[in-house]
Amino acid sequence: MREITIPIDDETIRSLKAGDTVALTGVMMTGRDAVHKWLMDTFINKTRQPQGDDLEVYEAIKKILDHGVLYHCGPVVSGIETGDYKFVAAGPTTSIREEPYEATVIKHFNIKGVIGKGGMGPNTLKACQETPAVYFHAVGGAASLIAQSVQRVLGVYKLEFGVPEAMWVIEVKAFPVIVTMDSHGNSLHKSVLESSQARYRELIGA
Amino acid sequence: MQPDLTQELLELVRLTATSLPADVEQTIAAARDKEDAGSVARSVLDTILRNVQMAREHSTPICQDTGTPIFYVDIPAGWSIREFRRQIEAAVAEATRRVYLRPNAVNSLTGKNTGNNLGDEYFPTVHFHEVDGDTVTVRLMLKGGGSENVSTQYKLPDTRLHAGRDLEGVYKVVMDAVYQAQGKGCAPGFLGVGIGGDRGSSFYAAKEALWRTLDEPNPDPELDALERRITEDANKLGIGPMGLGGKTTVMATRIKAIHRLPACYFVSIAYMCWAYRRHTMIYRNGQVEYK
């Protein structure tokens, strides 16, 4: 297993291949459906005027995401009432829902790694080649285990999106992931899809 | 006078969110042993088993998506359903406060999360049945959104799949559902299959089928054979744990057939992720038992 520290440089990203197991250490941020919609509408397509603390949050997350890692995760967090936040359960959510936006978001913020589950599509794969960046797969549902690798919650933005949808800034140590889409155009998801398709056709006689 | 079972129901929620049933854990362990040493599939299943153990030890959610709470309540005559629902709601809200559950109820129009897992009469979902005798049985299933998103329904005949209105047609569409799902429903999964009904009752039957434990065969020999065939063939697809390749894609299939309309032949697939969370609470003569 390779140990990689965030922020990650381009050389390290280029050295990663689909199938590699990695332990990530450093500061990352969670973001899923509501965050992608908010970013696209407010700062990329600009169909919505920035409101409230939007601009302030945008400036703050730019620093976290540059050479950084975005985690598709809707955690269970304790201490919501007191502000003494602790990650209790924090497995990945399905990434493909962000496929329409992720390529743009990766390039916009110069993100080096996206963590999620289920893999992503051709647009994200292309962005991984161009930026460069990789897709890290975490074990879906391994929520208690992953929460143990979260050392500290450094802060939260847009808690009004709800606990699962807010942007949680976390410090992790040896967060276990598998590279399933690399910066050379390889996707384990694509190759499993293709090989399973051939067997599926044989079995149902289609 | 109907007793207040809020505390007992809270324990049912805690148990279901944090402790995987024994039959499910054993099935995952058996699947782990079948995968090649050093494979991604085995390492994923090892991680899953470690996580299951850790969740139980720390009493923390197995998966952060604690899902839709679906309750099935067998209630004796004379008990108030409205009062029982209030107790369930109190238990669910308290379980959320104690972080056994993630706040999961989102208003579809405003996007606002209620913060306590209480939405409308559909959230949490509670199915009541009146029974003879004085025993109350409460079954709780927590079903995550990822697996719900790959759950699907077919209408036979399906011309694309050359699937007719018979069990061979059922086989084809279920295999299609597994193929389409790839690893996205948190494979390796379990399939609840409903045959017949209308669109709503068909899905209800599919979820109900998931209550049969993994050591119990289907009472109908023909359906039992179909369940085994689907599980075996699904594992030939090579999708594997998390869709990263491997021998284990589906760990069991559970089918329930119900009556249908002459014009309709629905097949509903309730895809259940590996975190197959279901527990039962039995209340009798002031005593509570959990299984």
Side-chain angles (χ1 to χ4, degrees), chain A residues 74 91 140-141 144-145 199-200, chain B residues 51 60-62 64 102 176 236 274:
Chain A
S144 281
L145 186 92
R199 277 173 240 163
Y200 154 79
Chain B
N51 176 67
T60 50
I62 298 164
Q64 78 289 338
R102 183 178 75 179
D176 185 63
K236 292 178 187 161
W274 66 258

Side-chain angles (χ1 to χ4, degrees), chain A residues 19 21 32 71-81 86 88-94 96-97 117-119 137-148 160-165 176 178 180 188-189 192-201 203-206, chain B residues 40 43-44 47-48 50-51 54-56 58-66 97 99-104 111-113 145-147 149 160-162 171-172 175-177 179-180 182-186 229 233-240 242-246 274-275:
Chain A
T21 53
R32 48 181 288 172
Y71 181 21
H72 295 159
C73 170
V76 177
V77 185
S78 67
I80 296 298
E81 285 153 10
K86 195 161 178 290
V88 175
T93 191
T94 305
I96 197 70
R97 294 192 306 269
K117 73 175 172 85
H137 201 288
V139 174
S144 281
L145 186 92
I146 292 171
Q148 293 294 309
E160 65 265 32
F161 289 172
V163 172
E165 296 281 356
I178 304 158
T180 57
L188 207 50
H189 305 282
V192 170
L193 179 71
E194 284 165 3
S195 62
S196 66
Q197 186 179 53
R199 277 173 240 163
Y200 154 79
R201 285 193 173 145
L203 285 165
I204 75 156
Chain B
V40 169
S43 109
V44 167
T47 303
I48 285 172
R50 273 214 321 278
N51 176 67
M54 203 175 260
R56 189 176 290 128
H58 297 172
S59 201
T60 50
I62 298 164
C63 175
Q64 78 289 338
D65 186 354
T66 54
R97 210 183 61 78
V99 294
Y100 301 137
L101 297 179
R102 183 178 75 179
N104 262 1
K112 197 169 162 48
N113 191 318
S147 71
N149 276 340
R160 182 178 67 92
L161 299 169
H162 305 288
Y171 166 81
K172 287 183 178 176
M175 289 296 289
D176 185 63
Y179 164 69
Q180 301 291 345
Q182 291 287 308
K184 290 190 274 287
C186 272
R229 180 183 172 208
D233 285 359
N235 289 332
K236 292 178 187 161
L237 295 174
I239 292 167
M242 293 296 128
L244 305 179
W274 66 258

Side-chain angles (χ1 to χ4, degrees), chain A residues 200-206, chain B residues 154 156 158-164 166-180 226 229-230 267 269:
Chain A
Y200 154 79
R201 285 193 173 145
E202 268 169 41
L203 285 165
I204 75 156
Chain B
Y154 295 83
L156 298 184
D158 184 308
T159 45
R160 182 178 67 92
L161 299 169
H162 305 288
D166 50 28
L167 292 186
E168 194 56 29
V170 172
Y171 166 81
K172 287 183 178 176
V173 298
V174 176
M175 289 296 289
D176 185 63
V178 174
Y179 164 69
Q180 301 291 345
L226 181 59
R229 180 183 172 208
I230 289 170
V267 181
I269 294 103

